[in-house]
Amino acid sequence: MIVTKKIVIVEDDQRLSDLLREKLTRFQFDVVCHDGSSDLLFLIEKESPSLILLDVNLPSFDGFYWCNQIRLKTTCPILFISARDSNQDQVRALENGGDDYITKPFATELLVAKVRSHLRRSYGAYAETKEQAIICEELILYKKKLLVEFKQERSPLSYKEANLLELVMSSYPEVVDRKKILATLWDESEFIDENTLSVNVTRVRKQLNSIKAPHQIIAVRGVGYRLKVGEP
């Protein structure tokens, strides 16, 4: 039996949306189109797509905002499709939870190839059948899936957030040296200021709070960070 993958196209250009739906339907995908208006999250929850194609310029909020919000609902691949071709836009897309960025105009054959590639990696021949989880006092990190879980409550993570959480969980209850964190999360040749690291720590703290985990990332002045369970 062939399992049809559902794709949601978030695009306010009706002509392009129809074109992509027609092309993807030929490859036996179940396609749902949305114009990016305010009820998008409701649609995502209702349809539970296997993959999302997401434009940047949308009527209510931009694609970066929507991607960040969608990541609270699903970990499925999100591919941006946009006429905005600056490096900054592509970086923002990835940092907000996107998996790929395709610049308009593009060949539909290339789009289909990328869609199929991401689906294979997420669900097919290249997908991990079993992932070794990192567990610390009931907190579970699925690094490859970019998910953290506590008592069946889950929250998605960015790549850097998952790496940071892995470091402090693996070292619990010891302190992780700040230099080690920087070397793991960023290229050693790249200058990173204290604020950049602090922003990532704050994001992980918010994710832990969202799943009501008693785990906290504590700053140890002049040394680095450590994981603590319970009250500070």
Side-chain angles (χ1 to χ4, degrees):
M1 180 175 124
I2 298 175
V3 179
T4 303
K5 299 296 184 184
K6 180 172 289 186
I7 297 175
V8 168
I9 300 172
V10 186
E11 170 62 69
D12 63 342
D13 183 333
Q14 188 66 49
R15 184 192 63 80
L16 178 58
S17 184
D18 290 343
L19 174 65
L20 294 178
R21 179 189 356 223
E22 178 185 358
K23 188 72 173 182
L24 290 166
T25 301
R26 290 182 193 173
F27 287 88
Q28 309 304 311
F29 292 115
D30 181 8
V31 182
V32 176
C33 296
H34 191 277
D35 64 2
S37 52
S38 59
D39 63 342
L40 176 57
L41 289 183
F42 174 79
L43 177 89
I44 297 299
E45 288 186 292
K46 176 185 174 184
E47 300 294 342
S48 296
S50 301
L51 182 143
I52 298 169
L53 296 175
L54 179 63
D55 191 15
V56 173
N57 295 323
L58 294 168
S60 55
F61 300 99
D62 65 27
F64 307 128
Y65 168 85
W66 281 125
C67 187
N68 188 277
Q69 295 302 302
I70 291 169
R71 275 288 170 250
L72 300 177
K73 307 293 183 181
T74 178
T75 59
C76 78
I78 300 176
L79 281 61
F80 276 83
I81 49 174
S82 176
R84 293 165 62 166
D85 60 358
S86 73
N87 289 334
Q88 182 180 2
D89 287 322
Q90 297 183 44
V91 168
R92 285 185 67 191
L94 297 176
E95 288 186 340
N96 279 281
D99 296 283
D100 207 338
Y101 194 102
I102 307 170
T103 305
K104 301 176 185 177
F106 50 78
T108 54
E109 291 78 9
L110 172 63
L111 177 72
V112 171
K114 283 183 172 287
V115 164
R116 297 174 78 171
S117 175
H118 280 280
L119 289 174
R120 283 196 304 271
R121 292 184 179 278
S122 297
Y123 311 105
Y126 305 142
E128 293 286 341
T129 57
K130 185 177 181 181
E131 179 178 0
Q132 184 175 359
I134 299 170
I135 305 174
C136 177
E137 302 287 345
E138 296 186 272
L139 186 70
I140 306 173
L141 172 64
Y142 301 98
K143 187 181 177 184
K144 292 183 179 179
K145 295 179 182 177
L146 299 180
L147 284 173
V148 62
E149 177 182 306
F150 181 73
K151 293 186 177 180
Q152 299 185 328
E153 292 288 329
R154 287 186 167 190
S155 179
L157 300 167
S158 70
Y159 181 74
K160 284 185 171 57
E161 290 166 358
N163 279 336
L164 174 59
L165 191 54
E166 178 188 26
L167 284 172
V168 294
M169 287 179 67
S170 300
S171 301
Y172 174 79
E174 303 298 326
V175 178
V176 184
D177 184 80
R178 180 179 176 276
K179 291 182 179 179
K180 181 177 180 180
I181 297 175
L182 294 175
T184 301
L185 270 63
W186 290 278
D187 188 287
E188 292 181 357
S189 65
E190 183 179 358
F191 175 76
I192 300 297
D193 61 26
E194 186 65 41
N195 183 62
T196 302
L197 177 56
S198 297
V199 167
N200 281 269
V201 171
T202 299
R203 288 173 179 168
V204 176
R205 286 171 174 161
K206 288 181 178 178
Q207 303 291 16
L208 295 176
N209 185 60
S210 72
I211 58 175
K212 299 179 176 62
H215 303 68
Q216 304 163 62
I217 298 180
I218 305 297
V220 179
R221 188 173 182 179
V223 183
Y225 293 88
R226 69 181 180 90
L227 189 68
K228 181 178 177 64
V229 182
E231 294 299 323

